[in-house]
Amino acid sequence: MEQKTTIDEIFLFYRTKQKEHSDILQTLKRNIHNTGTLRLLVIIGMIVTLWLCRGYSVTALMAVAAAFLLPFFVLVVYHTGLHAKRAYEEGVIRLCENELKALNYDFSAFDGAAELTDSQHPFSLDLDVFGEKSLFQSINRTVTLIGKKRLAGWFKNPLSNKPDILSRQQAVKEMCTKTDFRHNFYVTGKEQPNSDKDVRQLNELASRTTHFSENLLWKALIWLVPLAWIITIAALIWTNMSFGAFNVMFFLSLIIANIHTKRITKLHQTMDHMNKMLSVYSKLMKHIENEKFNSDTLKNSQQKLTSNGAAASKTIKKLSGIIGGLDQRFNMAAIIFNLLYLRDLRHVMQLEKWVKTYAGRFDTWFDALAEFDAFCSLANFTFNHPGYIFPSIADTYCQMEGKALGHPLIHRDKCVRNDIDIPGNKYFLIVTGANMAGKSTYLRTIGVNFLFACMGMPVCAESLSVYPAHLVTSLRTADSLVSNESYFFAELKRLKMIIDLLNTGRELFIILDEILKGTNSIDKQKGSVALVKQLLKKGACGMIATHDLTLGSLTEIFPENIRNKRFEADITNDKLTFTYRIREGIAQNMNATFLMKKMGISEDE
């Protein structure tokens, strides 16, 4: 599909698709109604015809019934298919509705993975990676739990190797053009939501040992019992054998069929309704197997599903059928068949043989599925943001140069964009400015785009070059009552983590907001200056935002390593205004006293 070039084209795309599938849905609903009516007429016709022909022979009446029942069952199958198509169309329409909301910055329809919020992570809490209205929620379109975990892993552990980033960029670019594939994948995956329970069940299944399938006695009994029943029934029909022999056969079969009921029930409980999830996984794998890919990353993942001569989709579908058979073991027909040919035992033996043959490929197959699921999310984000660009990856630590960077969670019509220029190592930007002038937002904007670049994603910028160092931030330090930990001590621990990483030789891109907030002004100034000197000594680079204007004087000591930037609060005619534009130099205006007076918190002396 040709890539859209403007956000208006993206809006039009989803609205057009929503309208097309709504029209299809209305047609399907009419067909479902008409088919249901036709089924009812067939049954009424059969009853009326049988009544009119009541004087005919039994054979004739059976022929009449068959003549009506055959088209009735055909209509039942057709009706079931129509319902499946209706569910698909409803899924597409719902997806379009949710994407239109997302384009307007309402991501509530998607999972933000709030459970992954981690204050100890190097940057995820500071950059709002997880949770409500988070980066993850805006991007996440995964439909499997393993895909969600893979995508979350990409957020938490971005790439630091240039070839890997470029390879992922190519995969995302290609997947971005496969809109139909991605939407089919999403709607199919949403047929059966899965949970941690499903993953546990898969792990238990893969580690299952054989008990029945290699037991010679049970292998013989699954054939001997039905053979004995055939002989018994034949003897009853064509000989004078008494019903006593039949009763003996019945009770013997009952004992054999139920001798391991507890074991089989326990196995069944560990896989209860897992067939539905596996059926969906099979369909998703088939989507992948049938698609043509060009990028090496996507082709390598696709080959994981088709290696060793067995298509994963067909093999998983077979497993789904086996487990589905166990799910039916308590209906009346299954209970009867269990007596006649040990139905439960046969399904368990089929399951054990399947696990023995294929369980070793579980990790490979589901790794490929998770990979594609995560790629669909990155590609969908790329498709929805045609104005974003793929950054170039620099070779010099820690170069970051970009024009017009914006934050992806700030509305496109309100987002003020700014540049960034960090030429190399031993270099820090000191950003000063008044309250609410835009310092913290700027730091997060740089951090988010840095993260996206290292994930192989497009960034909100006109241009950007990034060296993929390890990102570490300290923007939102908090105290902990549980750990009996003060705000100041928590901040010190964060800073020590940064120093320890530098001591190991790790290349870091560091973003700090208001160093040593938890101590007094004089102590804070001394500590802040000492920290900056230490970071420069260890060859680090990054950005520091502060209200402390004295940090700006460090350019006199390190003219080649520090550059001052500022955000100003302009006070004109007793009014406070912000441009949110970054400027050169040290901030000139502060606004705390002005705001306190305006709000009546303080008065003029």
Side-chain angles (χ1 to χ4, degrees), residues 537-574:
K537 180 181 178 180
K538 294 183 179 298
C541 69
M543 308 166 62
I544 300 173
T546 180
H547 290 97
D548 187 356
L549 304 185
T550 59
L551 281 185
S553 63
L554 286 172
T555 54
E556 299 172 7
I557 306 173
F558 305 101
E560 301 298 323
N561 306 103
I562 290 180
R563 187 176 180 183
N564 287 311
K565 295 283 189 176
R566 62 191 168 107
F567 285 91
E568 290 290 6
D570 299 317
I571 303 174
T572 306
N573 297 326
D574 203 35

Side-chain angles (χ1 to χ4, degrees), residues 432-443:
T432 53
N435 294 299
M436 304 184 297
K439 300 190 307 299
S440 297
T441 299
Y442 179 66
L443 295 189

Side-chain angles (χ1 to χ4, degrees), residues 184-204:
N184 289 340
F185 191 93
Y186 182 88
V187 175
T188 300
K190 284 297 183 180
E191 289 180 11
Q192 179 65 30
N194 52 95
S195 63
D196 282 322
K197 176 186 175 183
D198 299 320
V199 176
R200 290 196 302 271
Q201 288 176 326
L202 283 173
N203 292 334
E204 291 175 7

Side-chain angles (χ1 to χ4, degrees), residues 20 61-62 69 77 89 140 173 176 183 209 258 293 305 320 345-346 373 382 391 486 513 580:
E20 290 174 350
L61 293 176
M62 290 178 63
L69 288 176
V77 173
E89 297 300 327
N140 179 29
K173 289 177 183 177
C176 178
H183 290 177
T209 57
N258 291 284
F293 298 102
L305 299 177
S320 174
L345 184 61
R346 285 176 179 270
D373 200 5
T382 305
S486 71
D513 191 4
Y580 305 111

Side-chain angles (χ1 to χ4, degrees), residues 216-467:
L216 293 177
L217 174 62
W218 290 109
K219 289 171 71 174
L221 284 174
I222 62 172
W223 297 106
L224 291 176
V225 169
L227 179 61
W229 270 112
I230 292 172
I231 294 172
T232 301
I233 294 172
L236 280 173
I237 296 173
W238 288 298
T239 69
N240 294 324
M241 187 180 74
S242 68
F243 272 95
F246 176 88
N247 292 334
V248 170
M249 183 64 204
F250 176 83
F251 285 110
L252 185 61
S253 297
L254 190 64
I255 292 171
I256 295 173
N258 291 284
I259 194 171
H260 284 296
T261 295
K262 288 185 178 180
R263 182 187 292 269
I264 293 174
T265 299
K266 184 178 179 180
L267 171 64
H268 176 222
Q269 288 173 344
T270 64
M271 297 178 297
D272 187 29
H273 300 301
M274 200 166 79
N275 67 302
K276 295 179 181 178
M277 178 199 69
L278 290 173
S279 177
V280 170
Y281 279 14
S282 172
K283 294 176 184 177
L284 294 176
M285 290 175 179
K286 189 173 182 179
H287 280 309
I288 299 170
E289 293 165 357
N290 292 341
E291 190 69 23
K292 179 176 174 57
F293 298 102
N294 295 316
S295 77
D296 290 338
T297 300
L298 296 179
K299 285 195 294 186
N300 291 338
S301 288
Q302 183 186 43
Q303 288 171 1
K304 292 178 182 179
L305 299 177
T306 55
S307 59
N308 298 319
S313 61
K314 292 182 179 179
T315 311
I316 294 294
K317 185 178 181 179
K318 181 179 179 181
L319 174 61
S320 174
I322 294 170
I323 297 174
L326 280 175
D327 287 342
Q328 302 299 319
R329 59 192 293 254
F330 293 119
N331 66 45
M332 185 56 65
I335 292 172
I336 294 172
F337 282 122
N338 195 39
L339 288 175
L340 295 177
Y341 75 109
L342 305 184
R343 179 186 180 277
D344 287 357
L345 184 61
R346 285 176 179 270
H347 276 85
V348 171
M349 293 176 73
Q350 288 175 359
L351 178 64
E352 289 183 348
K353 289 178 181 178
W354 192 99
V355 170
K356 183 178 180 181
T357 306
Y358 299 109
R361 305 184 198 178
F362 260 33
D363 289 343
T364 301
W365 289 342
F366 292 117
D367 178 73
L369 181 60
E371 190 98 342
F372 273 96
D373 200 5
F375 267 121
C376 283
S377 289
L378 300 192
N380 187 80
F381 179 82
T382 305
F383 179 84
N384 285 355
H385 296 83
Y388 288 19
I389 56 100
F390 281 91
S392 61
I393 306 303
D395 297 309
T396 302
Y397 171 71
C398 183
Q399 182 183 353
M400 185 174 185
E401 182 179 355
K403 299 292 183 182
L405 277 70
H407 198 295
L409 296 183
I410 299 177
H411 196 288
R412 65 186 71 84
D413 296 334
K414 299 179 181 179
C415 182
V416 178
R417 299 189 175 205
N418 287 291
D419 300 343
I420 179 71
D421 184 11
I422 296 178
N425 65 337
K426 294 186 178 181
Y427 195 95
F428 271 85
L429 292 182
I430 303 295
V431 184
T432 53
N435 294 299
M436 304 184 297
K439 300 190 307 299
S440 297
T441 299
Y442 179 66
L443 295 189
R444 287 188 172 85
T445 296
I446 301 305
V448 167
N449 283 287
F450 185 93
L451 171 62
F452 281 10
C454 294
M455 289 176 63
M457 292 175 57
V459 295
C460 181
E462 288 182 3
S463 66
L464 183 64
S465 177
V466 168
Y467 179 86

